[in-house]
């Protein structure tokens, strides 16, 4: 064991939730060192998140589970990106947190996949996404508005596009996005949103610019 250290898991927290609902996930913290730690948990760009405890002492070898509470009563359908920051004396860990907030009723669902070779790209490259649009409501051939956007982990918008896709039962297609040459290195999230009347469906995937 080391003199001072801890493990926080998961390192990436992904949540799918409906508007107006509350959801609780667990964050586990283990003191891997041989001295006690004074722990502090903070949040960034996640005003709707709270913790069962955000300040506590963790003895050497002790494990603690903290409830992370997501409350969407004031949120509109969207994908919210932020960080949970866990501090133990001089050690700090950041947990990427992605919260997909859908409308209460989703008529058109979406599945998003970024192939492995596109999960790490250079600035100015294209990223390819495989998208599947599913007509859950079975309302026949319909045009659905598809909104695509890329955010960094601070929530800053990098690019956005919108188009209309016709779907009867299911539609699968590839979509390419050109990442601006001046984009900073780091982790980003690609977001796909379906919009049809009062229905908003969400999907998101992480990728890295290297």
């Amino acid at each position: 064991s080391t003199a001072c250290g801890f493990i926080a898991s998961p390192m990436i927290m992904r949540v799918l939730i409906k508007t107006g609902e509350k959801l609780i996930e667990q964050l586990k913290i283990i003191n891997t060192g041989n001295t006690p730690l004074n722990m502090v948990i903070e949040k960034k760009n996640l005003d709707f998140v709270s913790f069962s405890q955000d300040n506590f002492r963790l003895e050497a070898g002790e494990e603690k589970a903290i409830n992370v509470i997501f409350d969407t009563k004031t949120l509109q359908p969207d994908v919210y990106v932020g960080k949970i920051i866990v501090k133990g004396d001089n050690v700090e860990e950041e947990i990427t947190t992605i919260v997909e907030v859908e409308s209460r009723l989703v008529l058109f669902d979406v599945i998003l996949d970024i192939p492995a070779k596109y999960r790490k790209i250079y600035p100015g490259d294209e990223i390819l996404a495989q998208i599947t649009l599913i007509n859950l409501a079975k309302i026949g051939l319909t045009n659905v508005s598809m909104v695509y956007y890329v955010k960094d982990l601070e929530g800053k918008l990098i690019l956005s596009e919108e188009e209309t896709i016709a779907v009867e039962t299911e539609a699968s297609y590839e979509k390419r996005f050109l990442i601006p040459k001046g984009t900073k290195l780091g982790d980003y999230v690609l977001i796909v949103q379906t919009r049809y009347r009062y229905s908003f469906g969400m999907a998101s995937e992480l990728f890295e610019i290297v």
Side-chain angles (χ1 to χ4, degrees):
S1 63
T2 58
C4 181
F6 67 88
I7 296 173
S9 64
M11 287 306 298
I12 298 175
M13 188 169 285
R14 303 178 66 105
V15 174
L16 175 62
I17 187 171
K18 305 289 186 182
T19 54
E21 292 185 350
K22 185 181 289 188
L23 183 68
I24 296 175
E25 296 285 336
Q26 279 201 337
L27 171 64
K28 292 185 178 180
I29 304 168
I30 305 173
N31 184 343
T32 57
N34 52 28
T35 59
L37 291 174
N38 295 309
M39 306 298 302
V40 176
I41 304 179
E42 300 175 349
K43 58 192 178 183
K44 189 172 185 180
N45 298 327
L46 297 169
D47 293 341
F48 54 93
V49 171
S50 60
F51 309 105
S52 56
Q53 282 184 273
D54 58 11
N55 199 316
F56 54 91
R57 182 181 174 89
L58 198 63
E59 299 297 333
E62 185 183 1
E63 176 180 338
K64 194 173 187 66
I66 300 298
N67 287 338
V68 183
I69 304 151
F70 299 85
D71 189 345
T72 66
K73 64 184 178 183
T74 62
L75 299 184
Q76 296 298 315
D78 203 343
V79 175
Y80 298 86
V81 183
K83 294 179 181 179
I84 294 172
I85 303 165
V86 183
K87 299 179 180 180
D89 293 335
N90 295 322
V91 183
E92 182 175 314
E93 294 284 354
E94 290 186 347
I95 298 166
T96 298
T97 306
I98 301 171
V99 185
E100 299 175 6
V101 181
E102 295 185 328
S103 56
R104 285 185 174 272
L105 179 63
V106 177
L107 300 177
F108 294 88
D109 200 5
V110 61
I111 300 171
L112 169 64
D113 179 61
I114 300 176
K117 67 179 290 186
Y118 292 95
R119 291 183 181 271
K120 289 188 177 183
I121 61 171
Y122 298 108
D125 280 357
E126 283 188 328
I127 183 171
L128 181 140
Q130 180 66 44
I131 298 167
T132 302
L133 175 61
I134 303 169
N135 185 345
L136 296 177
K138 297 180 172 59
I139 55 179
L141 183 62
T142 309
N143 288 328
V144 179
S145 178
M146 304 295 294
V147 181
Y148 318 97
Y149 46 109
V150 171
K151 289 181 178 181
D152 65 17
L153 298 190
E154 304 295 326
K156 179 183 177 183
L157 186 66
I158 305 301
L159 64 83
S160 63
E161 295 183 21
E162 186 171 349
E163 66 179 342
T164 299
I165 298 292
V167 59
E168 185 167 7
T169 56
E170 185 175 300
S172 293
Y173 59 98
E174 289 184 347
K175 182 75 177 176
R176 293 178 181 269
F177 305 92
L178 181 62
I179 301 299
K181 288 185 177 180
T183 305
K184 294 180 180 179
L185 308 186
D187 292 320
Y188 291 81
V189 58
L190 172 63
I191 299 160
V192 180
Q193 185 182 90
T194 68
R195 296 180 181 178
Y196 181 80
R197 297 179 182 173
Y198 48 82
S199 167
F200 294 82
M202 306 285 169
S204 64
E205 283 289 345
L206 285 165
F207 68 96
E208 186 179 2
I209 297 179
V210 298

